[in-house]
């Protein structure tokens, strides 16, 4: 694991842009409905995250926090 | 050991925005907030909110804020900056606010070389009022007030950044877009430069950011970003239209 | 400019500018329009001498919004205009009142409607006193009738604006703006400054962020805001000012403000010489209107009022409201930028009083 990824699902509006932006299929749309009434993205394969930040860059709600793991 | 490389900037408030899913306003807010953080400006910043979808911007930035009447943000920003020249002052406006009702205010702020930064989010539509034609709506585009598509009787879309770049008081004017990862990074670079030049007192700075409006365009967020790159970019070319730190055109005081 | 307390001859518009500077105002945003143009011209010359800022905006709309911005930053700030330009400032005034920001806004009235002309008139009473802009709001509006009073009220206007976090209007007219009279200026005061205003936008160093907005999307929230504003306006009603001249024994009272009151005073003096018991009641604050004082005159037995204005009749409605049908209210007005003569007003007094002359 090169990066640690955290997703604040309760702020997610389900726009799917992060899922499309992720080059390594770390993310997928979830099947649950969050408190805002949206189907949020979820982290399905955290081990594959390289910390490229594509998800964080495209996310309009700043749902992602990413740490580079040394 | 781990180092945080992405997350909520300190200059953003810890709230969910009212923007529609996939709307790029949130991206541009974050870029401005990251720039304020990186330049250490948060505690001396006064933002000026406009009227339109971004009217509630004051809820999303963790800085002082004043909300201006429709189109008047650059005039309000002028008052704030003149009263407090040490402040970092920026406006956050849409294309309806800046390019229609506020044309006069932004052009004259630029002409006077007001040391402020104006961010214009250009999604070529009035979002908040329900998707009406704006001055930057593309020819043929169907909106709530151009149901048969924008025709010549409604005029041609015009290019605000180009116009502002011709004013002698403008120090930095750029057009960018936020429809893909690479250009989001470039947009931040432009916004950072604008704020840096403002704080150096060089002159008026403005970044026009092309962005989407999935809801009023009737497209998914992903499709709407493709509209930005496929339809808007050919009409609204990207680039730094003016940068007085690179060259000094005749008659301009750098 | 003259030393403190020295008597100098000054034109109304310039006296207003100097008074603002003495009140600590260091920011002026304006736009040229006759008959107030000497004021911005004076400010453009004087502000640099006191390290102040004069800025000529691209329009009255821009000017008033620059005022809004400077007010939000916590400084004493003023703008001025004449009737058509004042119409354009209404947007910013409504926003400033909604956002609770103080400023002084001057209207040197001219003939209307529309472009009208550049002669002195009083056709903007409704606009200044009854609102003019959108939404439920009130604004203290002060109407001087001499250049000295213009100076005094300008200084007071800045104090009242800060006290209530609300714009204050100065309602003059072309004649007062152009008139030269001997004036004593008060000593120069410092702007109390943004650090004395716990709401000023100074950057959020060491505190939470501050927001100035007039937007409140929830109906309950906006009603609550309105109730708060109305409570403030209620307190502002205490700032009533008027002058009662020879009213003690008067059978007829002429009601007039500003330039019309100057002329009416001469007419009242002339009427007294003819043995007519006539007085002059001069509202100085047009809002709050001195209704209680007028009503008190009716209690005392006054049955007739003659309202004189350089308009088709605007303030007369407030006089009628104050007396509530308990006295007869006549009206005499000139429009088009014509200032009535003392003789005209005396004729009206005699007409109204019939054969009451002794």
């Amino acid at each position: 694991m090169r990066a640690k990824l955290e997703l604040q699902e309760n702020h997610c509006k389900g726009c799917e842009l992060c899922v499309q932006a992720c080059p390594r299929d770390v993310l997928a749309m979830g099947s649950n409905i969050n408190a805002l009434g949206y189907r949020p993205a979820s982290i399905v394969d955290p081990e594959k995250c390289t910390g490229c930040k594509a998800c964080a860059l495209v996310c309009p709600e700043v749902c992602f926090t990413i740490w580079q793991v040394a | 050991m781990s180092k945080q490389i992405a997350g909520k900037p300190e200059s953003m408030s810890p709230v969910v925005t009212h923007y529609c899913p996939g709307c790029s306003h949130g991206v541009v807010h974050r870029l401005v907030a990251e720039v304020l953080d990186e330049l250490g400006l948060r505690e001396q910043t006064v933002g000026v909110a406009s009227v339109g979808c971004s009217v509630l911007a004051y809820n999303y930035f963790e800085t002082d804020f004043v909300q201006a009447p429709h189109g008047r943000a650059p005039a309000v920003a002028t008052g704030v900056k003149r009263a407090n020249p040490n402040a970092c002052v920026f406006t956050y406006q849409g294309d309806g606010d800046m390019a229609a009702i506020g044309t006069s205010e932004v052009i004259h702020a630029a002409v006077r070389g007001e040391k402020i930064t104006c961010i214009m989010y250009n999604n070529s539509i009035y979002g908040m009022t329900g998707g009406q034609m704006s001055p930057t709506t593309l020819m043929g585009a169907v909106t709530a007030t151009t149901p048969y598509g924008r025709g010549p009787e409604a005029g041609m879309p015009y290019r605000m950044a180009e116009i502002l770049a011709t004013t002698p008081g403008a120090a930095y004017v750029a057009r960018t877009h936020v429809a893909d990862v690479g250009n989001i990074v470039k947009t931040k670079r432009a916004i950072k430069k604008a704020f840096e030049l403002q704080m150096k007192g060089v002159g008026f700075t403005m970044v026009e950011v092309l962005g989407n409006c999935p809801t009023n365009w009737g497209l998914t967020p992903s499709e709407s970003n493709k509209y930005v790159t496929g339809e808007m970019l050919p009409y609204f070319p990207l680039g730094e239209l003016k940068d007085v730190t690179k060259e000094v055109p005749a008659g301009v005081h750098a | 400019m003259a030393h403190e307390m020295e008597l100098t001859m000054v034109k109304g518009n310039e006296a207003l500018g100097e008074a603002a500077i003495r009140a600590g105002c260091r920011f002026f945003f304006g736009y040229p329009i006759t008959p107030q143009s000497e004021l911005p011209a004076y400010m453009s010359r004087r502000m640099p001498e006191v390290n102040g800022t004069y800025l000529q905006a691209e329009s009255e709309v821009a000017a008033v919004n620059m005022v809004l911005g400077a007010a939000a930053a916590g400084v004493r700030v003023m703008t001025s205009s004449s009737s058509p330009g004042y119409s354009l400032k209404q947007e910013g005034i409504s926003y400033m009142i909604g956002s609770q920001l103080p400023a002084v806004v001057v209207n040197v009235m001219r003939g209307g409607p529309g472009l009208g002309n550049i002669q002195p008139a009083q056709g903007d009473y409704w606009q200044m006193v009854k609102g003019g802009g959108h939404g439920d709001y009130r604004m203290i509006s002060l109407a001087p009738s001499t250049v000295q009073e213009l100076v005094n009220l300008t200084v007071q206007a800045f104090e009242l604006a800060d006290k209530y976090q609300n714009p204050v209007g100065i309602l003059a007219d072309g004649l007062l703006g152009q008139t030269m009279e001997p004036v004593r200026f008060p000593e120069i005061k410092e702007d109390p400054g943004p650090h004395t205003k716990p709401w000023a936008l100074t950057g959020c160093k060491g505190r939470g962020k501050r927001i100035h907005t007039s937007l409140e999307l929830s109906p309950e929230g906006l009603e609550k805001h309105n109730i708060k504003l109305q409570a403030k306006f209620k307190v502002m009603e205490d700032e009533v000012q008027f002058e009662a001249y020879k009213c003690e024994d008067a059978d007829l009272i002429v009601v007039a403000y500003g330039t019309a009151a100057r002329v009416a005073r001469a007419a009242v003096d002339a009427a007294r010489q003819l043995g007519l018991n006539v007085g002059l009641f001069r509202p100085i604050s047009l809002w709050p209107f001195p209704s209680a004082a007028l009503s008190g005159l009716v209690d005392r037995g006054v049955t007739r009022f003659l309202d004189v204005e350089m308009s088709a009749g605007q303030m007369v409605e407030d006089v009628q409201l104050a007396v509530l049908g308990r006295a007869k209210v006549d009206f005499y007005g000139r429009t088009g930028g014509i200032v009535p003569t003392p003789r005209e007003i005396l004729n009206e007094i005699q007409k109204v009083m019939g054969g009451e002359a002794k």
Side-chain angles (χ1 to χ4, degrees), chain A residues 1-3 67-70, chain B residues 1-3:
Chain A
M1 189 170 80
R2 289 149 67 185
W67 293 267
Q68 193 80 56
V69 178
Chain B
M1 281 298 288
S2 63
K3 178 182 159 230

Side-chain angles (χ1 to χ4, degrees), chain C residues 4 106 147 151 162 197 203 205 223 248 280 296 307 316 348 357:
Chain C
E4 283 80 33
V106 177
V147 178
V151 167
D162 276 352
K197 298 170 179 171
K205 193 173 173 63
E223 186 177 55
E248 302 77 20
L280 169 69
D307 179 275
V316 64
E348 282 303 306

Side-chain angles (χ1 to χ4, degrees), chain A residues 13 15 17 56-62, chain B residues 12 17-32 53-54 60-61 92-93 119-123 176-181 183-184 187 191 209-217 219-229 232:
Chain A
K13 292 174 178 166
C15 73
L17 290 174
L57 282 164
V58 299
C59 177
E61 285 296 335
V62 204
Chain B
M12 274 194 108
T17 70
H18 71 289
Y19 297 117
C20 302
C23 167
S24 296
H25 263 306
V27 173
V28 182
H29 281 10
R30 188 191 73 235
L31 298 180
V32 171
C53 282
S54 55
Y60 310 136
F61 287 96
Y92 190 101
Q93 308 171 255
I119 306 291
M120 167 172 150
Y121 183 87
N122 180 5
N123 58 2
T176 64
H177 81 83
V178 286
D180 61 45
V181 170
N183 281 283
I184 290 172
T187 297
I191 291 173
V209 184
L210 305 178
N212 61 9
C213 181
T215 299
N216 287 301
W217 292 352
L219 300 173
T220 66
S222 163
E223 287 166 352
S224 69
N225 281 340
K226 288 191 182 79
Y227 183 90
V228 172
T229 52
M232 289 181 77

